[in-house]
Amino acid sequence: GSPVKKLSVLIATTGREQSLALTLKALTQCERPKDFGRVVVVENGPRGKAQEIVWQVSDKLPITCLHHPWANKSNALNHALGHMQDELILFLDDDVGFEPSLLVSYASAAAGIERGTFFGGVIKPLYDGAEPEKWIAPFLPASVRGLDYSKMQTIDDVPPFLGFNWAAFGADV
């Protein structure tokens, strides 16, 4: 198919410096598709250390840090979308882990598609403390235990996308 539109990453954060640093470090280790754009971090609410953390990886990653004064993730993402183009936008949370192939996997999945499609990816939570014990995992939400759509057997097994590893074209959001 034809190449994907530019792929950029959008992350909203507030007061989670340690997990943001881990997520950005993981992004620096990702293989990037040919048409990779940039990472946009939007800190929302009171100013914290997001800009400082962004600067720490700016020599390894094309990255921008915005600020939105309201402490609200949805408002922050909408604010950041106003600074982006009609590109494939990968929405990540500031506390998720992923494989180094994340970016090229999304670019490959979207190759030849112009709009009207949403994409969902594997979720590997980064725990602030100890990982939950195995016996309790079946009772926890996917945001805590992780989720891999490729392991689903039928379309009925697939839960709705969770808000921390999915992509859509800018014109569709």
Side-chain angles (χ1 to χ4, degrees), residues 38-42 51 54 62-66:
R38 63 185 170 145
V39 176
V40 176
V41 173
V42 58
Q51 180 68 59
V54 163
I63 190 165
T64 302
C65 189
L66 304 172

Side-chain angles (χ1 to χ4, degrees), residues 4 15 23 34 45 58 72 80 82 98 100 103-104 116 118-120 128 144 153:
V4 70
T23 298
K34 185 178 121 194
S58 63
N72 179 286
F98 38 81
L103 301 174
V104 294
F118 296 83
F119 305 88
D128 287 337
V144 176
Q153 299 296 315

Side-chain angles (χ1 to χ4, degrees), residues 90-143:
L90 172 54
F91 295 85
L92 293 176
D93 267 10
D94 60 3
D95 62 349
V96 293
F98 38 81
E99 298 295 322
S101 61
L102 175 80
L103 301 174
V104 294
S105 294
Y106 270 105
S108 176
I113 300 172
E114 291 295 319
R115 57 178 39 123
T117 302
F118 296 83
F119 305 88
V122 174
I123 296 158
K124 293 169 56 176
L126 296 176
Y127 300 103
D128 287 337
E131 187 173 336
E133 295 184 35
K134 298 287 184 210
W135 69 267
I136 199 167
F139 304 103
L140 298 173
S143 60

Side-chain angles (χ1 to χ4, degrees), residues 65-87:
C65 189
L66 304 172
H67 182 259
H68 186 69
W70 299 352
N72 179 286
K73 180 180 178 180
S74 296
N75 284 333
L77 292 174
N78 285 327
H79 172 74
L81 286 170
H83 293 266
M84 302 182 86
Q85 302 169 2
D86 184 18
E87 54 200 303

Side-chain angles (χ1 to χ4, degrees), residues 24-72:
L24 293 180
K25 180 180 178 186
L27 276 173
T28 67
Q29 298 168 356
C30 280
E31 181 184 351
R32 291 184 212 140
K34 185 178 121 194
D35 293 323
F36 184 72
R38 63 185 170 145
V39 176
V40 176
V41 173
V42 58
E43 183 176 36
N44 58 102
R47 285 191 188 270
K49 296 184 179 181
Q51 180 68 59
E52 179 181 321
I53 292 164
V54 163
W55 283 335
Q56 291 172 3
V57 297
S58 63
D59 61 331
K60 299 176 188 88
L61 198 62
I63 190 165
T64 302
C65 189
L66 304 172
H67 182 259
H68 186 69
W70 299 352
N72 179 286

